[in-house]
Amino acid sequence: MAQMRSIGRFPPARSLLTLCPRQQIRSMVLEVISRPNCIVLAVTAANQDVANSDGLQIAREVDPQGLRTIGVLTKLDLMDQGTDARDVLEGRVYPLQHGYVGVVNRSQRDIETNKSMKSALAAEQEFFIKSPSYSHIAKKQGTVYLSHRLNAILEDHIRSCMPDISNRVKTMLRDATAELEQIGGDDSQTEQQQRAVVLNCITRFCQNFSECMQVQSAKYFHRCKLNIFSGSVKA
């Protein structure tokens, strides 16, 4: 099954309790990848129908032009004999701005025999170099290249998003400063003065709450009087 990978906060667990497990996963994924500053890593098994993979379908919903999605094809070594994923890796099936990277992970037998990651990476590179289908693009395939590629994409993305993030931070800072000035706060105040500000805020809150309760009580007793005159006592 295709996978979607990203980093970010997930929606509240309570809002997901009414959904089935598949819907829960979909909801959590969409919550994260819908953000415009999120890079979508769509991982799909090459021995499946890549064009209709779950990962790419969900990515299309939030990134229809493929501007912030990078595709990763796994299990290239498990494809049926006589088939390959060249068209996908070269962007002829569903183009993505960041393209696709093929990887060959350790098999279950490799894991059981404790094959080292160093040996697995060497075997992966050898697979691409010796493969008639992938030898011409071997330098841009594999886990090591994917790691470097993701780092480069992340750096470029941070640079492109930084002006907007900076503007938002400045706006939040101005709002916070204005709110602080409104309640009488000041960084230069002593600890005793800061306590006085907090106490003043609490006092004002209590006064406002008391006034609100008095108004509600007055309305309540007014309704009671009207009900008494009408022959019944109802709140």
Side-chain angles (χ1 to χ4, degrees):
M1 179 178 178
Q3 304 175 44
M4 298 298 299
R5 300 184 183 180
S6 186
I7 299 177
R9 294 185 305 172
F10 295 119
R14 184 178 299 177
S15 66
L16 299 173
L17 294 178
T18 58
L19 303 175
C20 70
R22 186 180 181 84
Q23 291 175 324
Q24 291 177 9
I25 295 173
R26 179 182 175 82
S27 177
M28 289 190 295
V29 169
L30 288 174
E31 173 72 14
V32 176
I33 67 175
S34 296
R35 300 166 188 167
N37 62 341
C38 174
I39 293 293
V40 182
L41 184 64
V43 183
T44 305
N47 58 350
Q48 297 180 357
D49 185 4
V50 177
N52 296 315
S53 72
D54 294 339
L56 288 176
Q57 285 184 349
I58 296 177
R60 287 192 193 105
E61 295 182 25
V62 297
D63 184 30
Q65 297 180 338
L67 301 179
R68 54 187 181 89
T69 301
I70 180 170
V72 178
L73 292 185
T74 65
K75 301 183 179 180
L76 291 167
D77 55 327
L78 300 181
M79 296 186 69
D80 293 336
Q81 188 174 2
T83 62
D84 58 56
R86 283 182 55 182
D87 288 343
V88 178
L89 292 174
E90 294 177 356
R92 290 192 289 270
V93 176
Y94 180 73
L96 297 174
Q97 178 171 319
H98 299 300
Y100 295 81
V101 178
V103 297
V104 176
N105 298 319
R106 291 187 299 172
S107 65
Q108 185 61 39
R109 179 174 177 79
D110 291 336
I111 296 174
E112 293 173 353
T113 56
N114 296 321
K115 186 174 184 177
S116 67
M117 288 303 302
K118 184 177 180 180
S119 299
L121 292 175
E124 178 188 44
Q125 192 61 34
E126 183 180 7
F127 168 82
F128 286 111
I129 292 174
K130 292 184 176 181
S131 171
S133 300
Y134 311 121
S135 59
H136 64 293
I137 54 174
K139 292 183 179 180
K140 293 186 177 181
Q141 305 300 319
T143 305
V144 175
Y145 175 80
L146 176 62
S147 176
H148 295 320
R149 181 70 177 136
L150 289 176
N151 284 334
I153 292 174
L154 180 60
E155 291 176 0
D156 292 341
H157 195 63
I158 290 175
R159 279 193 290 267
S160 64
C161 292
M162 191 56 67
D164 179 60
I165 294 175
S166 178
N167 290 334
R168 281 190 290 171
V169 170
K170 290 177 181 178
T171 300
M172 294 171 63
L173 180 60
R174 284 197 300 268
D175 293 343
T177 301
E179 184 178 358
L180 183 61
E181 292 177 352
Q182 186 177 5
I183 64 176
D186 188 351
D187 291 341
S188 62
Q189 290 179 329
T190 63
E191 184 176 348
Q192 184 175 1
Q193 290 173 325
Q194 292 174 354
R195 290 178 179 175
V197 170
V198 174
L199 180 61
N200 181 47
C201 291
I202 296 174
T203 302
R204 286 164 55 187
F205 173 80
C206 291
Q207 291 175 346
N208 293 336
F209 182 78
S210 177
E211 292 173 0
C212 180
M213 292 300 296
Q214 290 175 5
V215 171
Q216 294 297 325
S217 297
K219 291 181 179 179
Y220 173 81
F221 287 118
H222 180 66
R223 289 198 302 269
C224 286
K225 290 179 180 179
L226 292 178
N227 290 331
I228 290 174
F229 288 137
S230 65
S232 61
V233 180
K234 295 181 180 179

